[in-house]
Amino acid sequence: MSEKRARLVREAVETVAVTLLIFIVIRFAVQSFRVDGPSMEPGLHTDEFVLVDKAAYFFSGPQRGDVIVFHYPLDTSRDFIKRVVGIPGDSIRTTSSDVFVDGQVLHEPYISQSFNFVSQTWKLGPNQFFVMGDNRDNSLDSRTWGALDKSYIIGKAVAVYWPINQWEWINTYTSVYASIHT
């Protein structure tokens, strides 16, 4: 009887250990994020929940077009969601209606209206990213507070999962950025 009991205890401990391991891996690799505000419209809306892949950038950085969640550099208690427009080494230039990356104008089907507050140019250094909301006239982003350091990035937004009838993969529009050198 003691051998049977020992086997039962061992199986229970193994089950709890595997469950904890799975929980820890999921907790550190995946996060939920609630969209708050209109800055990513028309693609993402307030009160939608997105799944964030926190492991996406362990071995490489974000790519142009990725939608990322990050700590707001001016108040790290707040998290934002924006689209990566520029990566380290890029030169970003805005005019009143266009965005240029390394001299190439972006033709962005995901924005509702072309709009920039001022014409300006930024040169990104190592580990710096330029992020913008898709709703350009209603977005607090790199145009206002500058380049985003990689250390603030939480992960890549990969899917809208709530509300369930809005479920979809988040499009990174790789074709928009295809003509820009990497």
Side-chain angles (χ1 to χ4, degrees):
M1 191 60 133
S2 66
E3 185 179 318
K4 189 174 185 180
R5 179 172 274 156
R7 192 173 340 142
L8 182 62
V9 168
R10 188 187 82 215
E11 287 179 10
V13 168
E14 287 174 354
T15 301
V16 169
V18 168
T19 302
L20 283 173
L21 181 64
I22 291 170
F23 172 78
I24 289 169
V25 167
I26 289 173
R27 180 70 181 128
F28 287 106
V30 178
Q31 176 179 321
S32 176
F33 178 80
R34 184 179 70 83
V35 177
D36 184 23
S39 74
M40 287 301 290
E41 291 179 358
L44 298 173
H45 301 84
T46 296
D47 292 331
E48 287 183 333
F49 282 83
V50 297
L51 192 62
V52 180
D53 179 357
K54 292 168 58 174
Y57 303 129
F58 280 168
F59 301 109
S60 66
Q63 299 301 306
R64 294 180 201 98
D66 286 359
V67 175
I68 62 170
V69 173
F70 58 93
H71 302 298
Y72 176 43
L74 303 181
D75 178 1
T76 57
S77 68
R78 298 172 61 194
D79 294 339
F80 280 10
I81 185 168
K82 306 287 182 210
R83 186 176 304 277
V84 174
V85 175
I87 60 175
D90 283 351
S91 178
I92 310 297
R93 183 170 64 93
T94 58
T95 64
S96 61
S97 61
D98 291 315
V99 176
F100 295 82
V101 177
D102 290 342
Q104 299 285 322
V105 67
L106 298 182
H107 301 285
E108 303 170 287
Y110 45 82
I111 64 173
S112 55
Q113 177 183 357
S114 296
F115 176 83
N116 293 303
F117 305 108
V118 294
S119 296
Q120 195 167 350
T121 301
W122 297 265
K123 177 66 176 166
L124 301 179
N127 295 316
Q128 290 186 327
F129 296 86
F130 199 85
V131 296
M132 297 174 75
D134 291 352
N135 187 359
R136 298 290 162 78
D137 64 341
N138 196 356
S139 178
L140 181 59
D141 54 37
S142 288
R143 295 172 299 169
T144 305
W145 41 262
L148 175 70
D149 190 85
K150 185 177 180 181
S151 64
Y152 291 100
I153 297 172
I154 296 168
K156 180 178 180 178
V158 293
V160 174
Y161 72 89
W162 191 262
I164 198 77
N165 63 337
Q166 300 295 325
W167 190 98
E168 67 178 338
W169 295 110
I170 294 175
N171 193 336
T172 59
Y173 294 93
T174 54
S175 62
V176 169
Y177 304 92
S179 64
I180 303 168
H181 77 281
T182 52

